[in-house]
Amino acid sequence: MQNTENKEIVATAMAALATGDNRPFYEAMAQDVIWRPMVGGVWGEVHHGRERARDNLFAPLRKQYASTYTNTATNIFAAGNAVIVEAQGAVTLKSGKAYNNRYCFVIEMADGKMKEVREYLDSALAEAVLEPLAG
């Protein structure tokens, strides 16, 4: 049953994110979540805590967006405490460039919340079209 519950929590959050509503995804993260980009360079900083991820990653990214950011799950798998999501992000930046990255999120769940998110993405695309985050 745990697989089903964890998968449903993440699927609900991703369904909202696909419409541009990021609140359910944010609320599904534990207060002490670890957001771990699985890339090097400027996009590889690990964010400890929901507020830190919001303030140091998500908010600065949103400032670059000219349109509503969406991220649509194409596959969701669950096993034990892990939920794996393949997804496609889409947004137009204020620079006029498209930032349509593909992601794989490996999410460790505990007590109905995302405790760790390992984010795999095309970091070359991110570096090519996004302004670097202040770190």
Side-chain angles (χ1 to χ4, degrees):
M1 192 61 151
Q2 185 178 13
N3 290 356
T4 303
E5 292 169 358
N6 288 337
K7 184 177 179 180
E8 184 60 32
I9 291 165
V10 173
T12 298
M14 289 302 300
L17 199 52
T19 70
D21 181 3
N22 62 9
R23 182 173 299 271
F25 191 90
Y26 180 76
E27 291 174 352
M29 289 189 281
Q31 288 289 335
D32 61 347
V33 69
I34 299 170
W35 190 279
R36 189 180 306 277
M38 303 303 289
V39 298
V42 298
W43 300 103
E45 180 183 346
V46 176
H47 303 278
H48 295 271
R50 188 166 77 169
E51 286 75 23
R52 181 178 163 110
R54 178 195 63 209
D55 295 345
N56 295 337
L57 178 62
F58 305 129
L61 283 172
R62 277 195 305 275
K63 289 179 182 177
Q64 297 185 48
Y65 300 162
S67 64
T68 300
Y69 175 79
T70 60
N71 199 320
T72 304
T74 54
N75 285 299
I76 301 177
F77 308 94
N81 291 327
V83 179
I84 301 167
V85 180
E86 291 180 312
Q88 175 69 53
V91 70
T92 300
L93 303 174
K94 290 178 181 175
S95 66
K97 296 176 183 175
Y99 180 60
N100 301 329
N101 212 330
R102 296 191 65 77
Y103 301 90
C104 181
F105 300 104
V106 179
I107 303 165
E108 295 293 332
M109 301 289 291
D111 301 320
K113 295 287 186 182
M114 298 180 202
K115 291 293 285 182
E116 181 173 348
V117 179
R118 293 187 299 277
E119 175 190 25
Y120 297 84
L121 67 140
D122 180 350
S123 60
L125 174 62
E127 289 181 16
V129 301
L130 293 171
E131 294 296 321
L133 299 177

